[in-house]
C-alpha cells in the first residue's frame, strides 16, 4: 500500500511499553484466576482506570493518533497479557466505536464519558447487534424501534452482548423500517437505568471467560428522540434515498465493524504472540533424549512458521489500522483481511503451542490451553471467518458473491 511504512513513532513505542508493563505485572498473573471464576474482573478494570488505561482519554487519544497504530499496538499488549481480562478492559470500546461512527458530536460529548466513568467510579458500555436468529445476518434482526410522540420505543432480544445487562450505557441496533432490511436500521443509546432493559441469560463460554457475555432484553424500552444516533433528520433523509432507489451510505452496524476490525485483529495477534513466546521458551529449556527439544528440526521449523505467521498477521493489522486513520478506503477489504488472518493465525499458533508442550500443554498447569480456548472466538465474533471471506471475495471480484 503506497505510503504505508510499518515504523512505530516514539509516542506509540512509549504507549506500547507502558501497556506491556501493566499487562505483564497486573493482567497476566491474574489470568488463570479470573478464567476459572468466569466473572468480570472489576479489580483489574479498576487498576486500569487508576493508571488511565481504562478511560475515554486513552481511547480517544489512540483513535486519533497520527499513524493509526496506537490502539492496535496497545490491544496487542493487553491481549498478550490475557484475552478474557483484556476484553473486559476494551469491551466498552466497541460501544464507543458504534457511538462515534453513527452519532453527532453532541451525542458523543454526552454519552462517551458515561461509558467509561472515572478512576473512582468505573462505568461500562455495551454494543448490542446480534440476535438469537440473526448473528452474522444483521439484515434479519427483529428488534423494532417505533416512534411515539417524539420518543422511541424498542422491543426485542439481543444476544452475545459483551457487558450486556451490566453496562451503564447500551448502544442498540434496531429496525425502524423492516421492509428495507439493513438499510432500514438505526442505532440508539439506552441511558443508564432506563426501565424495560434487563439482562437475560449469561453465557458460560469456552474461552474469554473473564469477559461478561449475555442476552439483553428490551421490553417497551422508551428513550427520548435525542437517543437516536445521528438524529431524526439524518435518518429520514437516508430512508427517503433508499425508497427512491438511491445509495444511502453504509449501514450502522457495518460502519461499526469496519471501524473495529483492525483492533479486533490486534487482539488476536496478542494471543498468538503470547502462545508463540511461551512455546519458544519452553522448547529452549525442555530436554528430551539429551538435548533441548528446540534443537530438533521438527520443533524449530514449527516455531519458525509460528513466528512468521504472527508477523504476517501483525503487518496486515497495522496496514488496515493505518488505512483507516488516513482515510484510505478498504477497496480490497483490507480490514476483513486483517481480521481473517489474525483470527485464524491465533487459533493455529495456539494449537501448535499445545503440540510443542505435549501432554503438559493440555493441562491447566501451563497457559497455552487457555490461550487456545480464548483464540477460537476470533474466528467467530464480529464477523466469522466465512463472512470475512465473503466480504473479501466480493471486493476482489466485484461480483455479488453469495
Amino acid at each position: 500500500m503506497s505510503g504505508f511504512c510499518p515504523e512505530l513513532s516514539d509516542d506509540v513505542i512509549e504507549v506500547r511499553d507502558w501497556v506491556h508493563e501493566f499487562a505483564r505485572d497486573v493482567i497476566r498473573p491474574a489470568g488463570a484466576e479470573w478464567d476459572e471464576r468466569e466473572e468480570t474482573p472489576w479489580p483489574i478494570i479498576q487498576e486500569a482506570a487508576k493508571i488511565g488505561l481504562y478511560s475515554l482519554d486513552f481511547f480517544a487519544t489512540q483513535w486519533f493518533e497520527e499513524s493509526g497504530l496506537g490502539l492496535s499496538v496497545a490491544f496487542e499488549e493487553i491481549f498478550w497479557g490475557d484475552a478474557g481480562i483484556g476484553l473486559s478492559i476494551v469491551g466498552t470500546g466497541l460501544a464507543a466505536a458504534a457511538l462515534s461512527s453513527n452519532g453527532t458530536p453532541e451525542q458523543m460529548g454526552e454519552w462517551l464519558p458515561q461509558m467509561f466513568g472515572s478512576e473512582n467510579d468505573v462505568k461500562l458500555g455495551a454494543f448490542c447487534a446480534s440476535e438469537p436468529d440473526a448473528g452474522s445476518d444483521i439484515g434479519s434482526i427483529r428488534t423494532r424501534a417505533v416512534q411515539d410522540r417524539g420518543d422511541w420505543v424498542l422491543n426485542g432480544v439481543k444476544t452475545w452482548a459483551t457487558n450486556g445487562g451490566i453496562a451503564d450505557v447500551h448502544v442498540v441496533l434496531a429496525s425502524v423500517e423492516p421492509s428495507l432490511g439493513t438499510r432500514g436500521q438505526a442505532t440508539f443509546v439506552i441511558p443508564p437505568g432506563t426501565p424495560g432493559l434487563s439482562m437475560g441469560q449469561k453465557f458460560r463460554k469456552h474461552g474469554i471467560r473473564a469477559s461478561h457475555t449475555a442476552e439483553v432484553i428490551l421490553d417497551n424500552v422508551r428513550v427520548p428522540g435525542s437517543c437516536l444516533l445521528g438524529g431524526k433528520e439524518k435518518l429520514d433523509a437516508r430512508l427517503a434515498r433508499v425508497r427512491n432507489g438511491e445509495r444511502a451510505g453504509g449501514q450502522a452496524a457495518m460502519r461499526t465493524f469496519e471501524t473495529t476490525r483492525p483492533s479486533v485483529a490486534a487482539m488476536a495477534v496478542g494471543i498468538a504472540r503470547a502462545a508463540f513466546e511461551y512455546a519458544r521458551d519452553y522448547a529452549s529449556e525442555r530436554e528430551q533424549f539429551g538435548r533441548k527439544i528446540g534443537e530438533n528440526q521438527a520443533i524449530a521449523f514449527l516455531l519458525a512458521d509460528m513466528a512468521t505467521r504472527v508477523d504476517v498477521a501483525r503487518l496486515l493489522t497495522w496496514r488496515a489500522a493505518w488505512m483507516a486513520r488516513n482515510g484510505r478506503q478498504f477497496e480490497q477489504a483490507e480490514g476483513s483481511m486483517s481480521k481473517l488472518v489474525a483470527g485464524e493465525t491465533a487459533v493455529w499458533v495456539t494449537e501448535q503451542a499445545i503440540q510443542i508442550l505435549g501432554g503438559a500443554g493440555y493441562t491447566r498447569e501451563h497457559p497455552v490451553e487457555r490461550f487456545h480456548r480464548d483464540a477460537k472466538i476470533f474466528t467467530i465474533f464480529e464477523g466469522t471467518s466465512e463472512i470475512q471471506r465473503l466480504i473479501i471475495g466480493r471486493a476482489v471480484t466485484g461480483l455479488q458473491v453469495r
Side-chain angles (χ1 to χ4, degrees), residues 46-104:
Q46 186 71 58
E47 289 299 311
K50 286 180 180 178
I51 67 167
L53 179 58
Y54 182 81
S55 69
L56 175 58
D57 285 345
F58 175 78
F59 279 81
T61 299
Q62 301 312 310
W63 278 330
F64 297 108
E65 184 272 323
E66 185 176 357
S67 71
L69 303 183
L71 273 186
S72 293
V73 168
F75 283 7
E76 178 180 333
E77 297 303 328
I78 292 170
F79 280 70
W80 173 90
D82 180 73
I85 294 175
L87 196 55
S88 290
I89 292 173
V90 309
T92 293
L94 182 58
L99 176 55
S100 300
S101 298
N102 300 289
T104 65

Side-chain angles (χ1 to χ4, degrees), residues 119-140:
E119 63 177 273
N120 298 316
D121 186 20
V122 171
K123 306 292 186 183
L124 298 177
F127 180 52
C128 306
S130 295
E131 298 187 359
D133 296 320
S136 296
D137 184 10
I138 295 295
S140 296

Side-chain angles (χ1 to χ4, degrees), residues 209-282:
R209 294 176 176 177
S211 173
H212 175 94
T213 309
E215 291 180 328
V216 174
I217 299 171
L218 304 157
D219 183 12
N220 288 321
V221 172
R222 180 177 291 270
V223 297
S226 60
C227 289
L228 167 63
L229 293 188
K232 184 66 163 56
E233 183 177 342
K234 183 177 179 181
L235 174 64
D236 288 343
R238 177 164 60 84
L239 294 178
R241 291 196 300 272
V242 172
R243 296 188 194 100
N244 291 331
E246 303 173 22
R247 293 181 62 87
Q251 191 273 334
M254 292 303 103
R255 283 196 298 272
T256 301
F257 294 141
E258 287 169 6
T259 300
T260 59
R261 275 178 189 136
S263 295
V264 174
M267 301 173 194
V269 172
I271 299 171
R273 186 183 117 216
F276 160 71
E277 290 178 357
Y278 196 92
R280 177 201 62 198
D281 294 348
Y282 183 89

Side-chain angles (χ1 to χ4, degrees), residues 116-344:
F116 290 91
S118 66
E119 63 177 273
N120 298 316
D121 186 20
V122 171
K123 306 292 186 183
L124 298 177
F127 180 52
C128 306
S130 295
E131 298 187 359
D133 296 320
S136 296
D137 184 10
I138 295 295
S140 296
I141 69 167
R142 296 181 180 178
T143 297
R144 284 293 314 275
V146 178
Q147 195 166 22
D148 180 38
R149 296 170 304 197
D151 292 343
W152 289 90
V153 180
L154 285 78
N155 284 280
V157 177
K158 294 295 183 179
T159 194
W160 314 124
T162 299
N163 298 335
I166 66 170
D168 299 273
V169 178
H170 290 74
V171 179
V172 176
L173 181 69
S175 176
V176 296
E177 195 160 330
S179 63
L180 300 180
T182 60
R183 297 174 298 173
Q185 295 171 355
T187 311
F188 298 83
V189 169
I190 312 299
T194 300
L197 185 148
S198 62
M199 186 179 80
Q201 177 186 2
K202 177 185 175 181
F203 296 104
R204 302 189 64 187
K205 305 186 297 294
H206 177 65
I208 56 169
R209 294 176 176 177
S211 173
H212 175 94
T213 309
E215 291 180 328
V216 174
I217 299 171
L218 304 157
D219 183 12
N220 288 321
V221 172
R222 180 177 291 270
V223 297
S226 60
C227 289
L228 167 63
L229 293 188
K232 184 66 163 56
E233 183 177 342
K234 183 177 179 181
L235 174 64
D236 288 343
R238 177 164 60 84
L239 294 178
R241 291 196 300 272
V242 172
R243 296 188 194 100
N244 291 331
E246 303 173 22
R247 293 181 62 87
Q251 191 273 334
M254 292 303 103
R255 283 196 298 272
T256 301
F257 294 141
E258 287 169 6
T259 300
T260 59
R261 275 178 189 136
S263 295
V264 174
M267 301 173 194
V269 172
I271 299 171
R273 186 183 117 216
F276 160 71
E277 290 178 357
Y278 196 92
R280 177 201 62 198
D281 294 348
Y282 183 89
S284 299
E285 297 171 3
R286 173 70 168 166
E287 291 190 3
Q288 287 281 284
F289 305 107
R291 61 179 178 179
K292 309 292 186 185
I293 65 171
E295 295 180 35
N296 297 313
Q297 282 192 2
I299 301 298
F301 285 7
L302 186 54
L303 287 167
D305 286 343
M306 292 162 73
T308 300
R309 290 178 67 162
V310 170
D311 268 9
V312 168
R314 180 184 295 110
L315 288 172
L316 283 173
T317 298
W318 284 7
R319 180 184 69 169
W322 178 86
M323 290 178 68
R325 176 64 183 90
N326 288 277
R328 303 294 183 93
Q329 293 295 317
F330 289 159
E331 295 180 357
Q332 299 293 301
E334 288 87 351
S336 289
M337 286 182 181
S338 70
K339 202 271 186 182
L340 170 66
V341 172
E344 297 201 341

